[in-house]
Amino acid sequence: MAIRNIREEGDEILRKNCRTVEVVDEKIKQLVEDMLETMYKYNGVGLAAPQVGVLKKIVVIDIDDGNGPLVFINPEIIKEKGKQEVEEGCLSFPNKFAKIIRPAEVTVKALDKNGKEFKLKAKELLAQAISHEVDHLNGILFVDKIIPGTLEVVKENNTK
Ligand code: NI
């Protein structure tokens, strides 16, 4: 396993569309392991492959509710319901936080880390995380969705 470098604001790779994973092979499994390790290292609740410089449709999430880590390969949000106003940040924007609107509930279809298809219905924080990470796969960033006037820029601290 290895910690991967996190691509930050201004890196063009964050704006690109990701490709579908055709086969969940050893290389993909290794990437998933590295993404998990990297997410935990930086205390994130989610990480998408483009954030470590890989343009593949892969997302990892752990909202620390005892059900994680969750791995989504080729995730597709097939249903959204309601809205929630949430406070949000992103490992690629280490000093920015803002309020945005996310769906209150999402139903997502994906492959798990072994390539097996599953469907998951999520609400609240997990719905927010899935929506945020799936956006990354399409080059969409949370800063695109900020509710005007809610952006907070904090000074770098030394907790990393
Ligand atoms: Ni993010």
Side-chain angles (χ1 to χ4, degrees), residues 41-43 94-95 97 154-160:
K41 158 95 177 165
Y42 294 107
N43 299 313
N95 58 348
F97 299 89
V154 298
K155 287 209 172 104
E156 283 283 336
N157 60 31
N158 296 316
T159 57
K160 256 190 192 174

Side-chain angles (χ1 to χ4, degrees), residues 14 46-48 51 88-93 102 129 132-133 136 140-142:
L14 296 174
L47 188 69
Q51 292 182 276
E88 199 158 300
C90 176
L91 290 177
S92 294
F93 296 79
R102 290 282 178 199
H132 177 115
E133 300 308 334
H136 270 297
I140 300 167
L141 302 169
F142 88 104

